[in-house]
Amino acid sequence: MPELPEVETIKRELDKAVLGKKVVDIIVNNAKVIKEPKKERFIKELKNIAIKKIIRKGKLLIFELSSRKSLTIHLKMTGQLIYPGDGAVSRVSFRLSDGKLLDFNDRRLFGELRIVGDWRKLKFIKELGPEPFDINADKFKEMLAQKKTKIKVLLLDQKFISGIGNLYANEALFRAEINPQRPANSLSGKEKELLFKEIKNTLSEAIKYNGSSVDQYVQLSGRPGNYVKYHKVYDRDGEKCFHCNGKIKRISLGSRGTYFCPSCQK
Ligand SMILES: [Zn+2]
């Protein structure tokens, strides 16, 4: 599933490619991804409306429109935005004022498109915890203080902290040499600081390399992101740890695949 770095990569590319353009036509090939309003109204609400601003909040993309409403796009598991697209496998295509298509592809149809009045009022948005880049180390330490939840499970809780998904939680914990099964409140002050630093480093590096193409994620151009080759533990079950040559182990935590080095991560 695309996480903060992947959605941020797409957001930055959208800024260059489609910002300020008008939606002149909407081609709906599968209405299942349109969550609100109904298809006909969705089309009507977008026609001849300009994209004024593009925002990323957690893993959600928001197009603020000249109509004062917003189009929100959640890629979920297999959603892709492609520009310029060809409409070949798109669920919904937006024909823009430059004549080109912005395609929303989504093999498994879990993605969600919505037109809403004020996106800030969406329940899901109101419940989002702060992003790592919006807080400092002291705040992070304070947030962890009372939490007995396993640290990795807590990092994935979007209501606690938003934007970190399974992949980057695994990577950040490896870099901070912290065992993912530790209760959050058992981390020392130093460990919390280091973890916070490594979360931000991991996310920043992933953005720099345009995200990780695991599953279906691609950049707006359709090209894969380049960060996979820098992964240290994710999806490396049974392979050698880059630090100690020990074996990377996979366990399940909160029903998510968790990869770590039992000798490096204490
Ligand atoms: Zn190791």
Side-chain angles (χ1 to χ4, degrees):
M1 184 192 285
E3 301 181 19
L4 188 156
E6 288 74 35
V7 184
E8 179 64 23
T9 299
I10 296 172
K11 188 259 172 203
R12 292 179 185 188
E13 294 170 317
L14 285 167
D15 271 341
K16 290 183 211 151
V18 310
L19 189 62
K21 292 175 184 168
K22 238 184 211 178
V23 179
V24 295
D25 201 10
I26 301 94
I27 305 123
V28 178
N29 298 315
N30 191 323
K32 204 180 161 212
V33 293
I34 299 174
K35 297 298 168 190
E36 66 170 291
K38 288 239 178 338
K39 177 185 153 188
E40 290 70 28
R41 179 133 196 110
F42 183 90
I43 292 172
K44 211 174 150 203
E45 295 252 19
L46 278 176
K47 214 159 190 173
N48 296 315
I49 298 296
I51 302 163
K52 299 287 270 187
K53 194 175 181 186
I54 300 166
I55 297 165
R56 178 194 57 76
K57 203 80 189 154
K59 303 173 193 175
L60 189 72
L61 283 166
I62 302 148
F63 289 12
E64 288 190 346
L65 305 168
S66 54
S67 61
R68 292 174 179 269
K69 293 193 174 182
S70 294
L71 166 67
T72 68
I73 302 174
H74 205 311
L75 301 173
K76 295 279 175 136
M77 296 290 285
T78 56
Q80 300 175 330
L81 278 173
I82 304 288
Y83 175 90
D86 59 10
V89 292
S90 76
R91 303 306 190 178
V92 178
S93 290
F94 305 93
R95 170 89 55 200
L96 303 179
S97 43
D98 59 7
K100 293 175 182 166
L101 290 177
L102 173 64
D103 283 349
F104 179 74
N105 300 341
D106 189 2
R107 195 167 54 81
R108 293 181 64 184
L109 290 166
F110 290 129
E112 297 181 351
L113 307 181
R114 286 190 169 81
I115 296 172
V116 296
D118 186 354
W119 60 267
R120 290 170 191 82
K121 287 185 181 157
L122 285 172
K123 186 171 175 276
F124 150 81
I125 291 286
K126 284 203 266 185
E127 286 176 352
L128 276 184
E131 292 197 4
F133 295 110
D134 296 338
I135 54 174
N136 60 24
D138 286 339
K139 174 72 183 167
F140 183 71
K141 281 156 84 173
E142 186 192 308
M143 284 163 65
L144 291 188
Q146 307 299 328
K147 299 284 182 184
K148 292 176 189 152
T149 319
K150 293 186 174 73
I151 183 64
K152 163 131 187 289
V153 176
L154 191 62
L155 293 180
L156 295 188
D157 179 357
Q158 301 300 301
K159 292 176 187 171
F160 177 75
I161 193 162
S162 62
I164 311 170
N166 195 35
L167 201 169
Y168 298 110
N170 279 301
E171 293 295 316
L173 283 162
F174 174 78
R175 291 163 65 135
E177 301 186 340
I178 294 169
N179 188 304
Q181 304 169 92
R182 295 255 312 268
N185 62 359
S186 76
L187 271 61
S188 70
K190 246 190 165 154
E191 285 176 322
K192 287 177 193 161
E193 267 174 41
L194 182 62
L195 176 59
F196 183 63
K197 195 179 109 195
E198 292 299 355
I199 287 170
K200 290 199 294 179
N201 285 344
T202 308
L203 295 175
S204 302
E205 274 179 27
I207 293 170
K208 187 175 144 200
Y209 291 103
N210 300 315
S212 303
S213 283
V214 291
D215 303 325
Q216 300 284 305
Y217 165 74
V218 289
Q219 301 179 56
L220 192 62
S221 60
R223 284 195 300 265
N226 300 308
Y227 195 57
V228 175
K229 55 179 178 254
Y230 301 101
H231 293 175
K232 294 186 170 65
V233 284
Y234 184 77
D235 212 13
R236 297 194 63 243
D237 186 21
E239 292 177 42
K240 275 186 183 170
C241 169
F242 294 130
H243 285 182
C244 72
N245 267 338
K247 264 191 186 170
I248 302 297
K249 196 175 168 188
R250 182 190 189 278
I251 57 168
S252 180
L253 274 191
S255 72
R256 304 297 303 274
T258 299
Y259 303 86
F260 68 110
C261 173
S263 26
C264 291
Q265 293 173 256
K266 296 296 182 192

